[in-house]
Amino acid sequence: MKLKTTIILYTLFPVLLSSCVGKHNKPNLKPVDTIINVSNWNRTIPGNYSSQTAIHLDSITLNNFINKYPLLSSYQTDITKFYKNRNFAFAWFDRKGLIEQASNLNNRVQHLDEEGLNGKIPYDSKLDSLIHSIINNKPDATTELMLTGAYFAFSKIAWQGSVNDKEMQELEWFLPRKKIDFQKQLEDIINQPASNVLSKTPVFRQYDLLKDNLKLYRKLTTNENWESLKLDQKTYNPGDSSSLLLAIRHRLFLLGDLKKDNKNPLFDAELIMATKQFQTRHGLTADGVIGNSFINELNIKPSERLKQLMVNIERSRWVPEKVEGKHIIINIPAFKLYIFNSDTLEWGCNVVVGKVMHQTVIFNGNLRYIVFSPYWNVPPSITRNEILPEMSKNSNYLRDHNMEITGYMGQLPVLRQLPGPTNSLGQVKFLFPNTYNIYLHDTPSKSLFKEDQRAFSHGCIRVSEPKKLAELLLKDDNTWTSDKITEAMNANQELYVTLKKSVPVYIGYFTAFVDHNGLLNFRKDVYKKDNRLEEMLFSKN
């Protein structure tokens, strides 16, 4: 099963993690000798990817351009470096005139909304006017430089994001930001066939997948009246008939869950399948029953979904384009864990994440250790706020919960829970040392994995199928058979196992994503992070 990776993240810390609470020169104007050996030229002059080397700029022209168009001054270093690397030869013109790639770039610049971007590129109207006013295909320095400036302005926000590093910290997105060699990318763009220019962009796969859905939601926002639908009975089940089902059927058709609208008021097989698909796409139990949860999601206006798409397209600009090798991705709003081998999805399962007041942090680490039959070293905050009040009411509380006191911090007892099936960490935990004291673990509270919304922990991530996760992580170590893993999980004696090769873990936050079946998914904004990012994006005009 293929899934182009949806998300990525960072950090390291001590090996033993016990708590489960998260917090964060002058230009050469001499014409080039056209008899020069091409291969030697390519080796000695970086960036010589254009067949055109006779038409040149000079640094004075470049400086005058920046002075005239100061909104591009922040890109002056990039523009200067680009032309120095190609000996100040024109990039967007050849002997026949303006190359096709120029028009393709201009098209992208003029349609930023199709990139999920709000606002404009500096001098976009001027660029469009210059492109369409070229006379007799004559090279024009202003058009040349405006195209290069537009490239850097466009690419840096479209492929790296318009939110700056400080703002990302405010959003508590503690990830190493993706770095792009925009100089090399521009070389590649001009060197590739015009039909492909800008089609392969250095962004996370979700960027293009989400972007493909913008047109539908813009159309729905403009053309459709999305009034709230109200149930006239508690639930609708297969076989029921109602005029409300006509409205539901039409709405599911507009959203793409139904291929056609047959205007049938009966809750028939087609509507059942469409209902289940809609439920799956919105993180609901796919039981085919229409109830309050279903209708609440169906009533969310396309304009709100459009904003949600744009917010998550922005997030997809921040993360690396691709991750090689085995890695784990956890999407908090989806309450899901996935194991990938490069782009191949190997396995996934449900997880429980932190409550709103104990949020799971958005970051990454390297999973190094598996601990079978673990102790749970109780965090002081949980001891103080939760356990001590219970101890005051029940003198046998520690014995009843298989806990012991190992010391004191002032007047506060230091507690740990002994290994065993009732241990709060279950029978195995998975450590990727980090400053947030967050890790993966088993749990005795299995029923919570059946809930649609699974934010119940103190910050750590509970795994619904911990043994399977252990088996996959130890797959390349033939000393760890399935039986041996089961034995270690039930030994009631703590055992640390160091992985032969650490596995990157990425904890992300995407409330809209396209799944491995190509279906657009939406999830609730469990930590209310979408609104703040939306404010940042729409204030940048």
Side-chain angles (χ1 to χ4, degrees):
M1 188 182 296
K2 294 279 184 178
L3 176 59
K4 298 298 182 180
T5 38
T6 68
I7 4 217
I8 34 196
L9 334 163
Y10 89 109
T11 92
L12 303 169
F13 196 46
V15 169
L16 291 176
L17 298 176
S18 59
S19 65
C20 192
V21 184
K23 296 294 174 213
H24 184 274
N25 307 304
K26 190 172 181 177
N28 178 13
L29 302 181
K30 184 179 179 179
V32 177
D33 185 353
T34 57
I35 305 178
I36 192 169
N37 181 283
V38 174
S39 62
N40 289 337
W41 175 267
N42 287 336
R43 285 197 299 269
T44 57
I45 305 298
N48 179 53
Y49 39 79
S50 172
S51 60
Q52 176 305 104
T53 58
I55 315 167
H56 291 77
L57 294 162
D58 58 53
S59 58
I60 295 175
T61 301
L62 196 156
N63 290 333
N64 289 340
F65 172 83
I66 295 297
N67 289 334
K68 186 173 181 179
Y69 300 102
L71 295 180
L72 294 173
S73 60
S74 60
Y75 309 106
Q76 184 170 7
T77 299
D78 292 307
I79 296 171
T80 301
K81 181 180 178 181
F82 171 68
Y83 284 104
K84 279 186 176 180
N85 284 347
R86 57 183 290 103
N87 203 28
F88 284 86
F90 275 46
W92 302 97
F93 288 83
D94 60 17
R95 296 181 183 278
K96 296 180 180 179
L98 198 65
I99 63 176
E100 189 176 345
Q101 287 90 329
S103 295
N104 292 338
L105 172 60
N106 182 48
N107 185 61
R108 294 286 286 271
V109 167
Q110 303 304 325
H111 297 90
L112 289 187
D113 58 327
E114 295 180 6
E115 309 291 332
L117 288 166
N118 186 54
K120 291 178 174 293
I121 295 298
Y123 310 112
D124 58 340
S125 297
K126 180 64 175 179
L127 173 63
D128 196 45
S129 176
L130 288 168
I131 292 287
H132 291 93
S133 62
I134 296 294
I135 300 175
N136 298 325
N137 292 323
K138 183 180 179 180
D140 176 70
T142 300
T143 306
E144 169 72 25
L145 291 170
M146 190 66 79
L147 279 161
T148 304
Y151 161 79
F152 284 112
F154 169 84
S155 62
K156 289 190 177 184
I157 63 169
W159 303 336
Q160 198 168 49
S162 58
V163 170
N164 61 42
D165 292 345
K166 182 180 179 181
E167 290 170 328
M168 287 175 68
Q169 293 291 309
E170 290 178 20
L171 294 165
E172 298 181 312
W173 184 282
F174 302 117
L175 318 175
R177 192 169 194 159
K178 173 182 65 179
K179 302 299 180 184
I180 299 176
D181 186 342
F182 291 106
Q183 301 282 340
K184 183 180 184 303
Q185 185 70 23
L186 180 51
E187 294 174 13
D188 291 344
I189 284 172
I190 295 180
N191 195 40
Q192 65 182 282
S195 59
N196 296 332
V197 69
L198 297 175
S199 62
K200 184 185 184 303
T201 52
V203 287
F204 180 39
R205 177 60 174 159
Q206 284 291 320
Y207 173 85
D208 288 319
L209 294 173
L210 289 171
K211 196 176 69 172
D212 288 345
N213 290 276
L214 289 172
K215 187 177 294 185
L216 169 62
Y217 281 86
R218 285 203 172 92
K219 179 180 178 181
L220 293 176
T221 298
T222 303
N223 299 333
E224 295 298 328
N225 181 12
W226 215 266
E227 293 182 353
S228 291
L229 304 178
K230 294 183 180 180
L231 295 175
D232 51 13
Q233 59 188 61
K234 187 175 181 179
T235 61
Y236 286 90
N237 295 279
D240 288 347
S241 180
S242 168
S243 60
L244 180 63
L245 293 176
L246 285 172
I248 291 173
R249 183 187 296 275
H250 180 65
R251 195 161 287 188
L252 291 176
F253 165 70
L254 293 174
L255 293 172
D257 295 296
L258 266 174
K259 291 184 178 180
K260 62 179 180 179
D261 180 5
N262 62 15
K263 304 188 184 306
N264 188 345
L266 181 67
F267 202 168
D268 58 11
E270 286 184 350
L271 187 53
I272 294 169
M273 294 302 295
T275 298
K276 289 182 177 181
Q277 177 168 294
F278 181 88
Q279 289 171 325
T280 298
R281 293 197 305 111
H282 292 80
L284 305 175
T285 301
D287 56 10
V289 176
I290 294 176
N292 284 325
S293 296
F294 174 93
I295 211 72
N296 288 339
E297 293 294 329
L298 194 62
N299 279 334
I300 294 178
K301 295 182 180 299
S303 58
E304 293 304 309
R305 292 303 192 193
L306 182 60
K307 292 176 184 177
Q308 196 171 355
L309 279 172
M310 293 177 72
V311 161
N312 287 277
I313 289 171
E314 173 67 16
R315 289 184 179 126
S316 70
R317 296 180 175 111
W318 304 342
V319 298
E321 177 183 1
K322 188 176 183 179
V323 181
E324 300 291 348
K326 180 177 288 187
H327 59 282
I328 293 172
I329 290 179
I330 296 156
N331 186 9
I332 294 172
F335 310 108
K336 286 284 189 177
L337 176 151
Y338 305 96
I339 291 185
F340 287 89
N341 190 352
S342 297
D343 286 338
T344 302
L345 175 63
E346 293 190 339
W347 177 74
C349 71
N350 290 341
V351 297
V352 167
V353 301
K355 304 172 186 176
V356 174
M357 65 286 291
H358 299 296
Q359 296 182 14
T360 299
V361 183
I362 302 167
F363 77 109
N364 78 310
N366 290 293
L367 200 157
R368 298 177 178 177
Y369 313 100
I370 300 177
V371 186
F372 293 112
S373 297
Y375 286 98
W376 178 41
N377 297 289
V378 184
S381 60
I382 295 179
T383 298
R384 181 183 303 107
N385 300 325
E386 299 179 30
I387 295 179
L388 285 182
E390 293 299 324
M391 289 172 62
S392 67
K393 293 185 287 186
N394 178 6
S395 60
N396 293 321
Y397 182 86
L398 295 184
R399 185 186 64 186
D400 293 345
H401 291 81
N402 208 24
M403 290 181 175
E404 62 183 10
I405 298 174
T406 63
Y408 286 86
M409 294 176 59
Q411 299 296 314
L412 189 69
V414 178
L415 303 178
R416 72 176 182 178
Q417 190 175 33
L418 302 175
T422 62
N423 186 286
S424 293
L425 304 185
Q427 297 171 294
V428 60
K429 66 179 179 180
F430 308 86
L431 303 182
F432 44 106
N434 59 83
T435 57
Y436 307 108
N437 290 340
I438 287 178
Y439 47 88
L440 311 175
H441 64 86
D442 180 22
T443 177
S445 304
K446 305 294 187 183
S447 63
L448 295 178
F449 293 111
K450 297 178 182 179
E451 300 291 331
D452 292 339
Q453 299 297 303
R454 298 189 289 274
F456 300 112
S457 82
H458 285 85
C460 287
I461 299 166
R462 306 175 189 174
V463 182
S464 61
E465 300 179 60
K467 183 187 175 186
K468 180 66 174 178
L469 178 57
E471 289 175 339
L472 290 169
L473 292 172
L474 293 169
K475 183 171 63 173
D476 297 330
D477 187 342
N478 55 22
T479 65
W480 280 98
T481 64
S482 178
D483 289 343
K484 186 176 179 180
I485 290 173
T486 298
E487 181 182 348
M489 289 176 65
N490 291 277
N492 293 338
Q493 183 174 352
E494 191 173 71
L495 174 65
Y496 272 73
V497 177
T498 303
L499 297 181
K500 291 182 176 180
K501 184 178 180 180
S502 63
V503 177
V505 177
Y506 305 103
I507 303 175
Y509 195 93
F510 286 82
T511 59
F513 57 93
V514 176
D515 65 22
H516 57 280
N517 292 315
L519 297 175
L520 176 62
N521 281 240
F522 291 106
R523 293 295 184 271
K524 293 185 183 299
D525 182 16
V526 60
Y527 294 159
K528 306 304 178 188
K529 292 183 177 292
D530 282 7
N531 288 346
R532 181 68 186 107
L533 178 52
E534 184 184 315
E535 290 172 5
M536 291 179 178
L537 294 178
F538 286 89
S539 67
K540 299 177 186 237
N541 292 318

